[in-house]
Amino acid sequence: MQLAGPPRTSSVRSRLRVAACLLLASGVPVLAHADGAPINTLDVTTLLYGEKDRARVIEPNVRVTRIYPDGQSFSGQLGIDVITGASPSGALPSGSVQTTTTPSGNRTSSEQGATPLTSFQDLRVSFDGDWTRPFLRAFTSTLGLRVSREKDYRSVGANAKLSVDLMNKLTILTGGLGFNHDQVDPVGGTHGGLGDGTVIPGRGVNPKEVHTAVLGVSRIITRRWIMAVNGSRTSEGGYLTDPYKVISLMDGESGLTVGQVTEQRPSTRVRKDILTTAAYHLEEDVIHASYRYYWDDWGVKSSTADVKYRSEVDPDAHVYVEPHLRYYTQTPADFFTFGFVQGAALPAYATSDYRLGPLRSVTLGATVGFELSGYPGEWTVRAEYIRQYGDASKANVTGVQKQFELFPAVNIGTVVIGYSLDF
Amino acid sequence: MRIAGVALLVALAGLSTGCAATAVKPWDRDLLAKKQMRLIHQPMLNAVDDHVYFSKEGSTGGMDAGGGGCGCN
Amino acid sequence: MHSRLFLLPITVLLASLFIGPPNASAGGVGADTLAAPRFALPGLHGLVVSDSLRGKVVYVDFWASWCEPCRRSFPWLKAMHEKYGSKGLVVVAINLDKERRAADDFLKKFTPPFTIAFDPEGKSAEAFDVSTMPSSFLINPTGMILSTHAGFDLKRTGEIEAEIQGACSK
């Protein structure tokens, strides 16, 4: 273009007062029909999840979002999880075939040297609703409600978030608070911790409360690069023990399991994390990368690195492939133990749940996105492989236990099919 | 923790100073306006993942101000 | 120790928010005393030259195909063109897409009856000191800026229409 005219009139920089616009922050495109009617989006995903020899999950989710021309939006999501299978009870492999009955009436059995599993099945139904509203040109508020229910667990929660655009939306600051009230109602009753599983008489449901605060800043760095830093603090109080997990007692010399006690976790937990995320636009493709550092007062510290590379295979037909790599590593909780020697004094808190142990997990997968010509909507199909493994080399076990694989790798496959339609 | 704090400070120093001098003009945000450039570009998949990792790992956290709500096995 | 260290980055986060490029806005000078920047840009049918629009009330709108509120403003721009075109209004919508193809794809779906100009380098937007997308400027027949509007909000269109009406009836 040629810009005509003398320099005096060629720029009105710093003289015009132009108010900030309330719509279209870079990361928050607002959609609407040209005639000003609200636009609706339907999102459906179905997760198929399977662990080798363990749990299976089918989880369909349906979300409907309605966006009004003024930027206000409502959305609601309904989800159902159907879970069947088995998970490790926490017990050590026995020296012989072992059968025990859990408080929930489930039967636990295991081959000699194999990790004992507890079978279970559950149905979880969840609903959440969100209301987002831009106001005063630079602000956006979001209010959310969520409820979920399963056989032995109920949860009701609310959260509020406030964002403000600064410096022509180069920077967005977000703060939020969340609250959850949960009720744990173990099948078969609540047992005392570090005991033989005897149910505490008259004990009703066990409450659990969760408070979360988040603070974040996102920033446009260049035309191709946006990044954000978020910190969060969550404090949990109440019944945080897993009612179905146990800890083995082993013979001090032979290492053979001679009994077990129920696990017991502290009744408070304070979790903190810092998450950095970035998106970078190459010529056509986009790289997403994130790193999270997490630490809590149970002694768990974790690092999570995540990279996705979205490659535009055919931009005109909206076909892309997005490989995904994630690496996770955590330190065990202070009170994690593989088992106790019979007769030894028990600590105040203990768990053998591998999820609080020295755990690593690697995720490898890819998403394919496409449209079917002649049909509306976008499809995504994602397949991933997750391998969880741990380090039992320093396990506090004796005798025969040293020959067993105390932290067998968990192999998980997931497939997610997604469909999204604007109407 | 200390390492994370230092890393964060460095990141923020970068975010808040040097880069600000070359502010991206409103009409230069064509790439940033794309769906795939949102920091959470696939919110549905992201929610599924959060749920999976929440129930399979000892730590959790992220961008949402939502609490837990799952007695996952 | 952890909890105090946690506060430190948050403090820095907060501090960093207020460091940035100087804001383009500065009050004091009334908008109606400013001469509009001049431009000569390729359009759909030859050059669009600001000087040749003297004597008309001009509504300059900066837009791009990737900008949702810009798209939403098009039906309203069309309505203004139809209502006030005969009364001396010229609507000039300056496209700021980097690639002409993106603009053309959009214009195929929505064929605007008003004037379209193309400025892929954004020099005119720079000259007008556009702070957000879309931004619009109402210019009187002598080339002075009467008012500026950042963003597109259906609720504020009545206000803008009143300004257009006022400018056309002078």
Side-chain angles (χ1 to χ4, degrees), chain A residues 13 24 26 167-170 220, chain B residues 23-33, chain C residues 64 66-67 96 98 125-126 129-135:
Chain A
R13 167 162 287 282
L24 197 90
S26 64
M167 300 179 297
N168 291 338
K169 286 170 287 185
L170 277 175
I220 294 172
Chain B
V24 178
K25 301 289 184 193
W27 56 90
D28 285 336
R29 298 185 193 171
D30 52 338
L31 303 178
L32 293 163
Chain C
W66 46 265
C67 156
L96 299 171
K98 306 276 174 215
E126 186 91 54
D129 198 24
V130 166
S131 72
T132 193
M133 297 286 285
S135 277

Side-chain angles (χ1 to χ4, degrees), chain A residues 30 43 111 130 143 145 157 197 254 398:
Chain A
V30 177
D43 283 297
E111 301 286 309
D130 284 309
L143 292 174
L145 267 179
S254 70
T398 56

Side-chain angles (χ1 to χ4, degrees), chain A residues 9 51 219 396:
Chain A
T9 56
E51 294 169 6
R219 175 133 191 153
N396 54 334

Side-chain angles (χ1 to χ4, degrees), chain A residues 174-186:
Chain A
T174 304
L177 292 171
F179 171 75
N180 257 69
H181 179 76
D182 299 357
Q183 289 181 308
V184 191
D185 187 9

Side-chain angles (χ1 to χ4, degrees), chain C residues 20-139:
Chain C
N23 206 318
S25 63
V29 186
D32 58 344
T33 63
L34 290 174
R38 297 157 67 194
F39 55 84
L41 297 164
L44 285 172
H45 319 285
L47 272 188
V48 179
V49 184
S50 59
D51 286 358
S52 68
L53 298 168
R54 288 289 140 82
K56 297 271 194 182
V57 173
V58 183
Y59 191 80
V60 175
D61 180 76
F62 289 93
W63 68 284
S65 66
W66 46 265
C67 156
E68 275 299 328
C70 301
R71 297 187 196 204
R72 260 186 293 120
S73 72
F74 265 56
W76 179 80
L77 289 175
K78 185 182 171 202
M80 292 302 103
H81 168 83
E82 281 163 0
K83 216 164 159 184
Y84 299 102
S86 58
K87 293 170 186 155
L89 177 73
V90 177
V91 175
V92 179
I94 300 179
N95 174 267
L96 299 171
D97 273 296
K98 306 276 174 215
E99 284 173 37
R100 177 68 180 265
R101 211 186 95 176
D104 287 342
D105 282 350
F106 173 76
L107 292 170
K108 248 182 264 164
K109 276 181 233 156
F110 188 97
T111 43
F114 45 83
T115 308
I116 301 288
F118 299 93
D119 184 5
E121 285 169 43
K123 285 185 181 161
S124 60
E126 186 91 54
F128 274 86
D129 198 24
V130 166
S131 72
T132 193
M133 297 286 285
S135 277
S136 60
F137 301 81
L138 184 62
I139 299 164

